[in-house]
């Protein structure tokens, strides 16, 4: 699965150094994955929340941060839409955040 764009993750962990390890681990797993269904994501990441329109919310760093991605299963691409703390996540609509 291509992750677009890792730069977003790097920018986030430059501000939140404790997020680096968990985000790198998530990126490594996502990059190796060949998910074709939301159920495969849920099987690999049990705490992930599957939303409408190919959106998935991942808990990062012991649930300290939230990562919202849009997944295009056909193109095997994962688009980062949001990364932030729980309070920042609570202020957005995960199904529409760009």
């Amino acid at each position: 699965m291509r992750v677009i764009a890792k730069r977003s993750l790097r920018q986030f962990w430059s501000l939140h150094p404790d997020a680096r390890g968990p985000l790198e681990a998530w990126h490594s797993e996502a990059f190796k994955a060949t998910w074709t269904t939301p159920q495969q994501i849920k099987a690999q990441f049990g705490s992930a929340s599957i939303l409408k329109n190919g959106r998935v919310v991942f808990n990062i760093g012991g649930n300290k941060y939230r990562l919202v991605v849009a997944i295009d299963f056909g193109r095997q691409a994962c688009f980062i839409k949001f990364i932030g703390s729980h309070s920042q996540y609570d202020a957005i609509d995960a199904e529409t955040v760009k």
Side-chain angles (χ1 to χ4, degrees):
M1 182 81 47
R2 289 176 296 142
V3 178
I4 307 185
K6 187 175 182 181
R7 185 181 83 228
S8 301
L9 301 179
R10 279 192 223 107
Q11 289 172 339
F12 186 79
W13 77 51
S14 73
L15 299 173
H16 306 275
D18 63 320
R20 183 176 184 159
L23 285 171
E24 284 182 329
W26 175 87
H27 181 271
S28 177
E29 291 297 313
F31 185 75
K32 291 184 281 187
T34 55
W35 301 313
T36 57
T37 66
Q39 293 77 15
Q40 289 175 328
I41 297 169
K42 191 72 173 162
Q44 186 171 356
F45 292 95
S47 65
S49 299
I50 308 299
L51 306 178
K52 297 176 187 173
N53 301 323
R55 295 280 176 116
V56 181
V57 179
F58 293 94
N59 296 318
I60 302 294
N63 209 16
K64 184 173 182 180
Y65 302 109
R66 294 273 176 105
L67 173 66
V68 178
V69 300
I71 298 186
D72 183 330
F73 294 105
R75 294 189 325 190
Q76 284 292 285
C78 181
F79 301 90
I80 296 169
K81 297 298 185 179
F82 170 85
I83 177 73
S85 67
H86 267 276
S87 59
Q88 291 169 322
Y89 173 81
D90 289 342
I92 64 151
D93 180 350
E95 292 182 358
T96 61
V97 68
K98 298 181 189 246

